[in-house]
Amino acid sequence: MSVGYVLDEHLLRAYAFGDVGVGNLLAVLTDREIRLAVPALALSSALVGLSDPQRDELIGVIENNTALSISQLATVDEVMDLADTRTVADEPVDLTSAHTVAVARHLDWPIVTTDRTRWAELERAWPFRLYIVEFAEGD
Amino acid sequence: MNYDLHMSGDRKTTIATKQSTRDELQALIRPGETFDDLLRRLADSYRSQIARRRMAWEVRTANDAKNAAAVARAERFADRLAALGDERGGAP
């Protein structure tokens, strides 16, 4: 199975706020033709409170990079995947994180984040291991 | 539903739509506007949005690429992801 990566809300938001490391990471991964999934709810959460120029940059990078594609929440199966992912969690989880996990599980791709600590508690909620890779300052 | 587009200097043509689509478009027409004016306005607006976001992305990408240390960091991380992909049994 070919491997790609799922981008989380924190990474998308870091891009929108001008993180030059994330900007170059998306460019490098695109150059290498590595596929990247953007969960629709992660994108929606990342867009909250952004200025119009920030929104243009974030939507622009998705619209203009063939490696990036939005994982929608449009079909019955996609909705069921999200419901199942929330159902098996031991404690309530937010919709955005649950959708990111549902997409990652469906594709069997790791999640890439800029903030591993945000996932620390969340990942204990699920009875399966989450593959999360952090793009941190020391990288 | 068929309706004519009035295009000065161009030949008129006909676009087939569902009646409900026609009604949606009709509701967007401004006073004094023709269907052709409306469709041109919508097309212009769409092209403008796409162009604006493309330009934002191009400028951002060009500026980011000027930071050699950040590019090198991104390359190292991409190498790490590639190795992870290999471990997981797939070619990224």
Side-chain angles (χ1 to χ4, degrees):
Chain A
M1 173 178 251
S2 66
V3 174
Y5 298 90
V6 179
L7 307 182
D8 82 342
E9 170 194 355
H10 310 299
L11 186 142
L12 295 172
R13 207 162 169 80
Y15 180 85
F17 276 91
D19 188 315
V20 67
V22 173
N24 280 307
L25 178 63
L26 296 183
V28 167
L29 294 177
T30 298
D31 285 347
R32 296 188 185 195
E33 299 181 342
I34 293 176
R35 290 183 295 160
L36 302 169
V38 178
L41 291 186
L43 176 59
S44 179
S45 294
L47 287 166
V48 173
L50 296 184
S51 65
D52 287 343
Q54 288 173 320
R55 287 182 170 216
D56 284 346
E57 281 191 10
L58 183 52
I59 298 298
V61 76
I62 294 167
E63 282 182 339
N64 291 286
N65 275 329
T66 53
L68 274 77
S69 60
I70 293 181
S71 296
Q72 299 185 8
L73 190 55
T75 68
V76 169
D77 285 337
E78 288 160 350
V79 171
M80 291 288 284
D81 277 353
L82 174 57
D84 290 346
T85 302
R86 297 182 76 201
T87 299
V88 300
D90 291 334
E91 52 195 82
V93 289
D94 67 276
L95 273 172
T96 298
S97 302
H99 189 223
T100 299
V101 171
V103 170
R105 293 277 295 179
H106 178 78
L107 295 170
D108 195 21
W109 289 356
I111 296 166
V112 182
T113 184
T114 50
D115 194 345
R116 189 74 169 76
T117 57
R118 299 279 185 96
W119 283 98
E121 273 191 38
L122 273 172
E123 61 185 330
R124 285 196 290 272
W126 280 286
F128 43 74
R129 181 183 171 193
L130 298 182
Y131 289 91
I132 301 173
V133 188
E134 185 182 33
F135 181 58
E137 278 302 315
D139 288 309
Chain B
M1 178 63 60
N2 296 329
Y3 52 89
D4 291 335
L5 298 176
H6 304 279
M7 295 180 281
S8 59
D10 285 338
R11 280 175 28 188
K12 288 197 295 184
T13 187
T14 301
I15 299 174
T17 70
K18 291 180 183 170
Q19 191 163 342
S20 59
T21 305
R22 192 279 313 267
D23 292 345
E24 273 192 59
L25 289 169
Q26 183 91 51
L28 298 175
I29 288 184
R30 292 171 178 166
E33 232 181 12
T34 65
F35 253 109
D36 185 61
D37 294 335
L38 169 68
L39 293 177
R40 282 176 177 273
R41 177 162 61 83
L42 295 180
D44 283 346
S45 175
Y46 176 75
R47 278 200 302 269
S48 176
Q49 284 182 44
I50 294 294
R52 190 182 68 243
R53 294 196 290 252
R54 182 172 181 84
M55 186 181 298
W57 165 70
E58 286 173 338
V59 169
R60 168 69 184 275
T61 302
N63 285 335
D64 285 350
K66 292 174 185 168
N67 187 325
V71 172
R73 179 184 163 217
E75 294 281 1
R76 285 196 303 275
F77 189 75
D79 290 342
R80 190 175 141 206
L81 289 183
L84 178 66
D86 291 342
E87 282 174 23
R88 288 170 56 81

